[in-house]
Amino acid sequence: MYDIEKYYNASTIGEAVHLLKEHPQARVICGGSDVLIKIREGKFAGTSLVCIRDIREIQGVIKMDSGDIYIGAATTFSHITSDPVIRQYIPVLAEAVDQVGGPQVRNIGTIGGNVCNGAVSADSAPTLFSLNAMLRTSDGAGGRMIPIRDFYRGPGKVDLQPGEILTHIVIPGKDYEGYQGHYIKYSMRNAMDIATLSCSVVSKVNQEKRLLEDVRITFGVAAPVPLRCNETEQELKGMPIGEALFEKTAQLVRQEIHPRDSWRASRDFRLQIGGEIAERALRRSVELAGGGQS
């Protein structure tokens, strides 16, 4: 049983913004894989909903002439996994969202919902952080372009103002061109489980000199919000490709991440796993970038 007061269906961004300003207590719904569960559990009981599922402007993936890739907030995980632009230019994102739930969830769940939910375990978040994603919002008066690192305010809290909706996730061309990435999700079950810890690594390799030219490492469930390992990244940049690089990666991330104890796993276990999956993700991203060991 779903206790919903009123349901509004928007067909344009402008209409959605107008409805949210007219009904400030209403919640946005698209796929419903998060919101409907919370309503059924009684957390959002009696709420009104503004549905953005039918807004064509925020669906699909487009590569601009500038090289920037725009991903509509209402684009489903299944669409992203199979989209030719994503698969050619940022396959690590397809790899990440393909680990969300099961096929039914991926067919209705959207990347915008995954981001706006503010969950530190969201599978898309670490990769979007490592790709330096920007978030395009609309409020009927121009909107904002927000770095994803500034969007997450705490567990379940994001920087969306009243009457504002997320319309697009933007991956700047300069932040994916020449890079390769790999995402690893560690969970207690092999399928249909949220992450106990996750890590997305994006790297650029100088093949001629066999050096790690650039690297970005982001963890999920290692802090209250997705955590970029900035200190580790700075230490690793410029290192020769080899075992010393990978061993140092594991060592450094264990000093930088801040996992907590929970019923899913202890802090010490997460620290051990964190070093391991960061090392493995970097190895794979380096291999994909053409920096496999001689």
Side-chain angles (χ1 to χ4, degrees):
M1 184 68 180
Y2 296 95
D3 183 3
I4 299 170
E5 183 177 0
K6 292 182 180 179
Y7 181 89
Y8 306 95
N9 193 63
S11 57
T12 66
I13 293 173
E15 186 178 0
V17 169
H18 174 76
L19 285 167
L20 287 171
K21 289 183 176 180
E22 193 174 62
H23 308 281
Q25 302 305 314
R27 297 183 181 276
V28 174
I29 188 172
C30 192
S33 55
D34 287 323
V35 173
L36 290 178
I37 289 173
K38 291 178 180 178
I39 291 175
R40 187 176 62 189
E41 292 175 344
K43 296 176 182 177
F44 294 164
T47 192
S48 293
L49 300 176
V50 173
C51 181
I52 61 172
R53 181 186 57 195
D54 295 332
I55 302 178
R56 298 294 298 273
E57 304 161 83
I58 60 174
Q59 299 175 14
V61 180
I62 300 174
K63 183 174 181 287
M64 301 298 189
D65 291 340
S66 64
D68 295 351
I69 295 174
Y70 276 65
I71 306 169
T75 307
T76 65
F77 300 122
S78 295
H79 182 129
I80 291 170
T81 299
S82 61
D83 187 89
V85 171
I86 299 293
R87 294 184 70 86
Q88 180 176 353
Y89 296 103
I90 43 175
V92 62
L93 183 59
E95 179 182 44
V97 301
D98 200 41
Q99 298 188 46
V100 176
Q104 299 93 332
V105 172
R106 294 194 293 272
N107 285 338
I108 63 168
T110 64
I111 191 166
N114 206 223
V115 170
C116 291
N117 195 33
V120 72
S121 59
D123 285 300
S124 67
T127 297
L128 293 176
F129 268 69
S130 286
L131 290 169
N132 289 331
M134 303 290 292
L135 305 180
R136 183 75 174 90
T137 69
S138 180
D139 59 0
R144 297 184 290 162
M145 190 74 89
I146 312 164
I148 194 168
R149 65 178 179 272
D150 297 332
F151 189 68
Y152 281 72
R153 295 296 182 86
K157 298 178 181 179
V158 296
D159 183 20
L160 270 181
Q161 305 301 316
E164 185 177 42
I165 66 167
L166 175 66
T167 63
H168 293 87
I169 292 99
V170 182
I171 311 299
K174 64 181 177 60
D175 288 311
Y176 72 82
E177 292 170 350
Y179 289 83
Q180 292 290 343
H182 186 53
Y183 174 73
I184 296 178
K185 171 182 180 177
Y186 180 87
S187 57
M188 304 309 289
R189 296 181 297 177
N190 288 331
M192 297 183 67
D193 197 3
I194 67 171
T196 300
L197 197 70
S198 60
C199 180
S200 189
V201 176
V202 172
S203 67
K204 178 186 283 188
V205 170
N206 185 319
Q207 295 185 35
E208 183 179 346
K209 297 182 179 179
R210 294 191 51 76
L211 298 176
L212 183 65
E213 188 173 316
D214 193 19
V215 63
R216 308 185 202 122
I217 303 170
T218 308
F219 277 88
V221 206
V225 297
L227 176 66
R228 270 285 294 272
C229 293
N230 296 307
E231 294 177 10
T232 298
E233 293 170 6
Q234 291 303 315
E235 289 283 337
L236 298 180
K237 288 178 186 178
M239 284 190 66
I241 304 300
E243 284 303 314
L245 168 66
F246 304 123
E247 291 172 5
K248 189 169 185 178
T249 300
Q251 173 191 346
L252 291 173
V253 297
R254 289 186 181 118
Q255 296 171 6
E256 190 166 1
I257 62 176
H258 308 289
R260 63 184 179 88
D261 287 310
S262 76
W263 66 270
R264 288 184 177 275
S266 69
R267 179 180 182 275
D268 288 344
F269 180 76
R270 282 191 168 105
L271 284 172
Q272 178 62 33
I273 291 296
E276 183 68 28
I277 63 176
E279 177 183 336
R280 292 185 185 185
L282 179 59
R283 283 181 186 272
R284 181 56 180 155
S285 72
V286 166
E287 289 174 4
L288 292 170
Q293 297 184 60
S294 303

